[in-house]
Amino acid sequence: DVKVTQSSRYLVKRTGEKVFLECVQDMDHENMFWYRQDPGLGLRLIYFSYDVKMKEKGDIPEGYSVSREKKERFSLILESASTNQTSMYLCASDRAYNEQFFGPGTRLTVL
Amino acid sequence: GDSVTQMEGPVTLSEEAFLTINCTYTATGYPSLFWYVQYPGEGLQLLLKATKADDKGSNKGFEATYRKETTSFHLEKGSVQVSDSAVYFCALSNAGGTSYGKLTFGQGTILTVHP
């Protein structure tokens, strides 16, 4: 059974903290993606990666960075968390132009 | 840039009612179109897709037809069940250039089906 896993389902952090969200896929996919999901806005792409150590900005990269040291793992980093980064974060992976597989999401609250 | 617009929600129906969720898009070239579904507490999963004009995607009783002339991909089901209660997202992927299969999503439509 193919799977995308995310390190936490729920996370509570304080303003200014550094936050790491981890995503692992077991399908040997080249492409991995980080989205945030907000009510009424759908999913918006933060960053994506098409190969190890390669990354591209999505539509809303400000305040975020990413790391992809291994093919199966893609991390999203909030260098200094702010309250407007409270959201649901979804990781996905695919093999070029095919179906994207999503993880269950991490609901992050920044106080 | 590319964009997807879904009908305003939420949508509330009785079991066995007919469902339509409207989706229109703006894109250059020849995008692929998708419907994803998100059940409570879960991530998104692909419901159906269509890769070229006049294609019909279908799955689990849901259908959608890729209409290039009206730039639409409306989701339909003839008889909904309580288990269909979820959030539905229309999306497109524009394979031109180096898009790497990026998806552009609509805002999502919450569907609630009552017994």
Side-chain angles (χ1 to χ4, degrees):
Chain A
D1 196 20
V2 297
K3 193 176 288 186
V4 178
T5 56
Q6 295 183 228
S7 51
S8 305
R9 293 299 300 269
Y10 300 93
L11 208 53
V12 180
K13 296 292 182 180
R14 296 208 174 272
T15 301
E17 281 192 78
K18 190 169 186 175
V19 182
F20 293 87
L21 302 181
E22 303 283 337
C23 175
V24 177
Q25 51 97 2
D26 65 0
M27 295 165 280
D28 199 37
H29 284 165
E30 292 85 5
N31 304 324
M32 296 187 74
F33 307 82
W34 275 107
Y35 298 90
R36 63 177 284 175
Q37 181 182 4
D38 299 289
L41 296 177
L43 276 72
R44 293 177 291 167
L45 182 64
I46 304 171
Y47 266 98
F48 66 102
S49 168
Y50 51 91
D51 201 353
V52 176
K53 297 190 186 295
M54 306 303 289
K55 60 185 179 184
E56 291 253 351
K57 293 180 180 180
D59 301 316
I60 52 164
E62 296 77 20
Y64 303 94
S65 63
V66 291
S67 172
R68 191 163 182 205
E69 297 296 320
K70 293 184 178 182
K71 189 175 185 180
E72 67 272 16
R73 189 179 298 269
F74 191 35
S75 301
L76 180 69
I77 303 155
L78 287 66
E79 295 289 343
S80 178
S82 63
T83 55
N84 63 12
Q85 293 178 310
T86 291
S87 186
M88 170 72 85
Y89 290 89
L90 291 167
C91 176
S93 72
D94 78 358
R95 198 184 309 279
Y97 307 128
N98 286 325
E99 172 186 352
Q100 285 194 16
F101 291 86
F102 283 81
T106 296
R107 185 165 294 282
L108 173 66
T109 301
V110 182
L111 302 175
Chain B
D2 299 340
S3 67
V4 176
T5 303
Q6 288 181 233
M7 64 183 293
E8 294 289 329
V11 175
T12 302
L13 295 172
S14 297
E15 208 165 23
E16 299 184 2
F18 184 84
L19 168 71
T20 300
I21 302 177
N22 290 337
C23 171
T24 57
Y25 68 90
T26 302
T28 57
Y30 304 94
S32 295
L33 301 174
F34 305 83
W35 277 99
Y36 278 81
V37 59
Q38 184 179 34
Y39 297 104
E42 298 182 13
L44 277 69
Q45 55 186 272
L46 180 67
L47 181 60
L48 54 84
K49 67 179 181 182
T51 58
K52 62 183 188 297
D54 299 325
D55 268 3
K56 178 186 283 188
S58 61
N59 186 27
K60 299 182 181 179
F62 291 89
E63 292 183 341
T65 301
Y66 188 162
R67 302 285 188 201
K68 191 168 177 63
E69 64 277 12
T70 54
T71 61
S72 65
F73 193 54
H74 305 321
L75 182 68
E76 296 183 336
K77 187 175 185 183
S79 176
V80 294
Q81 306 299 313
V82 172
S83 57
D84 294 326
S85 298
V87 184
Y88 291 82
F89 292 93
C90 185
L92 71 82
S93 175
N94 208 334
T98 58
S99 62
Y100 302 103
K102 286 191 298 178
L103 289 172
T104 300
F105 285 89
Q107 68 268 41
T109 300
I110 300 171
L111 170 66
T112 303
V113 180
H114 292 297

